[in-house]
Amino acid sequence: MPRAALLLTLILPCALLPAQAAPGAHQHGVVTLEVAIDGAELSLGLRAPLDDLIGFERAPRTAAERQAAAELLRSLRAPGALFEPSAAAGCTLAAATVQAPVLEGGAAGADHAELVADYRYQCAQPQALRGLKHRLFADFRRIARIDAAVAGPRGQALHKLKRPADTLSWPQ
C-alpha cells in the first residue's frame, strides 16, 4: 500500500472522529474528503450522506427517484469537472469507484445511508500539485461544509471548507 494511503488509513480517520456522532452515523450537510499524495498518485476518498446528494437516504421508491439515483451514480462514476487537481500537475483520472448500496438495490441497513467514492489520479508533474478545485458546493446545494484531510510529502493537514469555497489548497 502506498505510504500516503497507509497514513490516511491509520491516522486521519481518528482525526475526523469528532465530526462523527457515532459509528455509522453522520452529520447532514457535512461531507468528508480524504486526499493522499504518494509519488505520482493522487487519491481522493469522498464520504457523503445520501440526503446531501439526492435528498433521501433510503431505497428509491418512485420511477423519478430511481432515475435520480441512477443519474447520481453515473455522474459520480465519471466525475469530469467535479474535482480538478492543479492544472500544472497534468493529472488524469485512472480509476473511480462509487458505492451506495441503498441506491443500488442493497439492504437499507441503518437510518443514515451514505455514498462512498474513491478516485485515483495519475499525475505527470506531481510536484506541481498545489491544490484541488471542486464543484461539490455548486453541484450539491445541501452540502454546507467539507471536512478535508490531506496527507502528502509535506505532511498532514485538516481543513474545513464552507460554502462557497471551491478550492482546497495544501503546502508544497
Side-chain angles (χ1 to χ4, degrees):
M1 177 180 282
R3 285 187 315 264
L6 179 62
L7 182 65
L8 278 174
T9 302
L10 298 175
I11 296 173
L12 290 176
C14 295
L16 294 174
L17 282 178
Q20 304 290 327
H26 56 242
Q27 181 180 354
H28 288 201
V30 179
V31 301
T32 59
L33 180 64
E34 295 177 342
V35 178
I37 305 158
D38 188 22
E41 185 172 288
L42 170 65
S43 299
L44 307 176
L46 176 69
R47 169 170 261 158
L50 281 177
D51 185 65
D52 293 348
L53 303 176
I54 197 163
F56 55 89
E57 294 186 336
R58 54 173 168 68
R61 294 181 184 150
T62 66
E65 287 180 349
R66 284 188 289 280
Q67 181 178 352
E71 288 174 11
L72 172 69
L73 294 171
R74 187 173 30 260
S75 71
L76 291 176
R77 288 183 174 135
L82 185 61
F83 297 109
E84 294 179 35
S86 304
C91 299
T92 56
L93 184 66
T97 305
V98 178
Q99 298 175 344
V102 73
L103 296 181
E104 301 170 296
D111 293 336
H112 296 285
E114 294 184 322
L115 178 137
V116 176
D118 293 298
Y119 303 102
R120 189 171 40 84
Y121 293 82
Q122 290 297 314
C123 302
Q125 301 294 324
Q127 68 279 4
L129 269 172
R130 302 278 188 264
L132 178 74
K133 287 188 69 84
H134 69 85
R135 291 192 43 83
L136 291 168
F137 292 138
D139 291 356
F140 304 103
R141 298 286 179 199
R142 292 174 180 249
I143 297 174
R145 188 178 83 219
I146 300 167
D147 289 346
V150 179
R154 301 275 188 225
Q156 309 139 34
L158 296 175
H159 303 269
K160 290 189 186 298
L161 299 177
K162 293 184 180 178
R163 242 178 223 290
D166 67 352
T167 303
L168 172 64
S169 299
W170 49 81
Q172 284 297 311

